[in-house]
Amino acid sequence: MSSVLLERDYDGIVWFTINRPEKRNAINDEVMDALQDTIRLVEENDKVKVLVITGAGDQAFCSGGDLSEFHHLHTKEEAYRMLSKMGTILYSLLTLSKPTVALLNGMAVGGGCELATACDFRYAKQGIKAGFIQGTLGITTGWGGASMLFEKLPYAYALDLLLRAERVPIEKMVEYGWVHALLTEENRKEQCRKLLSPYLAQSVPVLRSYKQYAVKKWKTDEFRTKFFAEIEQCAVLWESEEHEEAVRTFLNRK
């Protein structure tokens, strides 16, 4: 079974679905590579207007990196190779010249929240929770999530979410400005399409122009340096005993 489902609609939407519901749609190398290829496709194809990223099933949007596949990474150098690979992909998602949406079909935690933060808009199913829970594993955001969050939310809200390291009711995430629309249980895809319909009515050159104005501030050397310094700091913490123990506990619980 493929780890990713890819669809392209008649109206210019590319739907990227992480298809690992048995793993709570955790990200592995196959998902990373597919996402990288899809971002490139969306960037280069003039018939594509919007990229929507979601997860398979009803339980999870994305639970971050798949620790069962990455538990063999112990040193700072080993961790940095994985973290910087996904960080580079999320940086390209953040600076994509087309609108992007995270459609949260279920809970989002850890790196799943970083993936969602890289998108322009976040639409979420009612009643779910989301949280930057990296602190409970003895690490910090490792894919550039904190750098992006401080850019997109008011300072106190962003810091609160990072420091509390908890799963937060999605209604609170709406209040903080992280989620832009709540969706009901039924036909979430159609609800998403309806929210996007005004954007889809615009031409690709118009969409590109506005996005390029928006992301210009993130294409600076200053922001890139900050973004990848965050990833390096996570790699330092990755080889700590606290993280090793947290991963052992997580895998034994599984």
Side-chain angles (χ1 to χ4, degrees), residues 158-170:
L159 189 61
D160 176 64
L161 290 174
L162 295 167
L163 295 183
R164 69 169 55 245
E166 295 173 344
R167 293 168 174 82
V168 177
I170 208 68

Side-chain angles (χ1 to χ4, degrees), residues 4-67:
V4 164
L5 302 175
L6 200 62
E7 304 169 70
R8 199 171 102 195
D9 279 3
Y10 61 89
D11 50 7
I13 302 176
V14 165
W15 303 87
F16 180 94
T17 303
I18 304 172
N19 188 36
R20 308 184 75 216
E22 76 287 353
K23 292 281 191 177
R24 296 186 302 166
N25 295 321
I27 291 174
N28 60 5
D29 276 312
E30 185 181 348
V31 175
M32 287 188 197
D33 292 340
L35 181 57
Q36 187 173 41
D37 290 343
T38 301
I39 291 168
R40 189 178 300 116
L41 178 153
V42 172
E43 185 66 72
E44 295 174 356
N45 191 316
D46 284 338
K47 293 183 179 177
V48 176
K49 293 186 173 183
V50 178
L51 170 62
V52 177
I53 299 173
T54 191
D58 288 316
Q59 300 304 308
F61 165 70
C62 176
S63 57
D66 188 343
L67 291 178

Side-chain angles (χ1 to χ4, degrees), residues 5-250:
L5 302 175
L6 200 62
E7 304 169 70
R8 199 171 102 195
D9 279 3
Y10 61 89
D11 50 7
I13 302 176
V14 165
W15 303 87
F16 180 94
T17 303
I18 304 172
N19 188 36
R20 308 184 75 216
E22 76 287 353
K23 292 281 191 177
R24 296 186 302 166
N25 295 321
I27 291 174
N28 60 5
D29 276 312
E30 185 181 348
V31 175
M32 287 188 197
D33 292 340
L35 181 57
Q36 187 173 41
D37 290 343
T38 301
I39 291 168
R40 189 178 300 116
L41 178 153
V42 172
E43 185 66 72
E44 295 174 356
N45 191 316
D46 284 338
K47 293 183 179 177
V48 176
K49 293 186 173 183
V50 178
L51 170 62
V52 177
I53 299 173
T54 191
D58 288 316
Q59 300 304 308
F61 165 70
C62 176
S63 57
D66 188 343
L67 291 178
S68 67
E69 294 201 21
F70 297 140
H71 71 279
H72 65 282
L73 306 175
H74 296 292
T75 68
K76 170 188 170 183
E77 291 72 25
E78 290 170 340
Y80 186 76
R81 279 194 292 274
M82 180 274 289
L83 296 171
S84 62
K85 176 182 177 180
M86 187 60 180
T88 299
I89 293 168
L90 289 195
Y91 181 79
S92 67
L93 178 61
L94 175 73
T95 56
L96 187 64
S97 70
K98 307 272 185 72
T100 57
V101 176
L103 176 55
L104 278 62
N105 56 297
M107 67 89 186
V109 293
C113 284
E114 298 189 67
L115 171 60
T117 302
C119 295
D120 298 312
F121 305 103
R122 284 158 292 284
Y123 305 152
K125 181 174 79 169
Q126 293 175 352
I128 65 170
K129 291 186 176 182
F132 292 81
I133 63 167
Q134 287 87 339
T136 64
L137 292 172
I139 55 173
T140 50
T141 46
W143 295 340
S147 297
M148 295 186 288
L149 197 66
F150 281 119
E151 288 288 314
K152 295 190 174 190
L153 291 194
Y155 172 80
Y157 289 163
L159 189 61
D160 176 64
L161 290 174
L162 295 167
L163 295 183
R164 69 169 55 245
E166 295 173 344
R167 293 168 174 82
V168 177
I170 208 68
E171 292 73 19
K172 174 67 77 173
M173 298 298 255
V174 173
E175 181 185 321
Y176 277 18
W178 191 75
V179 168
H180 305 100
L182 289 179
L183 309 180
T184 57
E185 191 71 39
E186 300 301 318
N187 298 318
R188 287 188 301 274
K189 202 168 176 179
E190 287 309 311
Q191 293 174 65
C192 179
R193 192 194 306 278
K194 188 173 181 180
L195 287 166
L196 292 174
S197 60
Y199 312 154
L200 297 170
Q202 309 305 318
S203 69
V204 168
V206 168
L207 297 175
R208 278 195 195 277
S209 294
Y210 283 129
K211 270 302 300 278
Q212 285 169 344
Y213 298 149
V215 303
K216 191 175 181 180
K217 62 180 177 179
W218 298 322
K219 289 190 170 184
T220 63
D221 289 340
E222 181 183 4
F223 181 79
R224 276 188 61 91
T225 298
K226 180 171 65 173
F227 187 94
F228 285 96
E230 174 189 339
I231 293 171
E232 186 165 1
Q233 176 59 25
C234 180
V236 170
L237 295 174
W238 190 281
E239 66 178 4
S240 69
E241 179 56 36
E242 182 183 358
H243 179 60
E244 292 272 352
E245 181 59 34
V247 171
R248 279 195 295 270
T249 301
F250 174 81

